[in-house]
Amino acid sequence: MPEQPKPGSIVHVEFHVKDRKKVEKFYEGLFGWKFQEVPGIDYSLFQAPSGPGGGIGGLQPGNWQPGVINYIGVNSVDDYIEKVKRAGGKIVVPKGEVMDQGWFAVFEDPSGTRMALWQQNPDAPQMQSPPPQQARQQQQSKPQQQSRQQQSQQSW
């Protein structure tokens, strides 16, 4: 069994892009990265030859700006949210759950650089890499789904 990353390590790298397939082809050809599509959403997980894996997803309306966010492993997202604030950073996406895999929150450091906290659920089955964007898309689409379903029978 592989050694778990130490707290404070980068555990996931997430690319937010306009054309996911084009960017996947670029990194696969350049570095040999392997991508695994996540069914039902515009998102793929990738594994690099070493270091943390990550995800790559298409931009959704009202969602993230193009770029990369690194996820830093912590023992408690709640504790680190307070530490970020005390250190002069600000929380820009509050704590959220990712498909029973764990919890995340996105913050900005004093320079405006965005990073994210990641707390793995110790009881979760292990995935290749946590897909935080998938959880955000599910959370964002839930109200739209509910309003559509309210018209025909509320259930989600």
Side-chain angles (χ1 to χ4, degrees), residues 60-64 135-144:
Q60 302 298 316
N63 201 347
W64 299 72
R136 288 193 299 274
Q137 289 172 340
Q138 287 175 342
Q139 289 171 349
Q140 290 169 351
S141 66
K142 188 174 179 177
Q144 293 168 344

Side-chain angles (χ1 to χ4, degrees), residues 6-130:
K6 293 176 177 52
S9 299
I10 293 176
V11 295
H12 184 82
V13 178
E14 191 166 84
F15 292 75
H16 304 144
V17 300
K18 292 181 181 177
D19 186 344
R20 177 178 59 88
K21 291 290 190 185
K22 182 177 182 179
V23 176
E24 286 176 12
K25 184 176 178 181
F26 175 82
Y27 284 102
E28 187 172 21
L30 192 60
F31 299 115
W33 293 2
K34 302 297 179 205
F35 293 87
Q36 178 184 353
E37 205 164 310
V38 176
I41 62 170
D42 188 14
Y43 196 84
S44 293
L45 296 173
F46 72 84
Q47 192 59 52
S50 67
I56 184 168
L59 298 174
Q60 302 298 316
N63 201 347
W64 299 72
Q65 298 176 353
V68 175
I69 291 186
N70 292 305
Y71 285 72
I72 301 167
V74 297
N75 292 326
S76 169
V77 166
D78 293 319
D79 290 349
Y80 272 85
I81 285 173
E82 295 308 313
K83 288 180 179 185
V84 164
K85 292 175 185 176
R86 285 194 305 268
K90 70 178 183 177
I91 303 302
V92 295
V93 176
K95 181 181 176 182
E97 187 172 2
V98 179
M99 304 177 314
D100 298 324
Q101 289 295 307
W103 302 269
F104 77 101
V106 179
F107 67 94
E108 284 184 356
D109 69 19
S111 75
T113 300
R114 286 192 177 191
M115 299 284 273
L117 305 169
W118 174 255
Q119 177 186 344
Q120 181 69 38
N121 178 347
D123 299 324
Q126 293 299 306
M127 294 180 70
Q128 175 184 349
S129 185

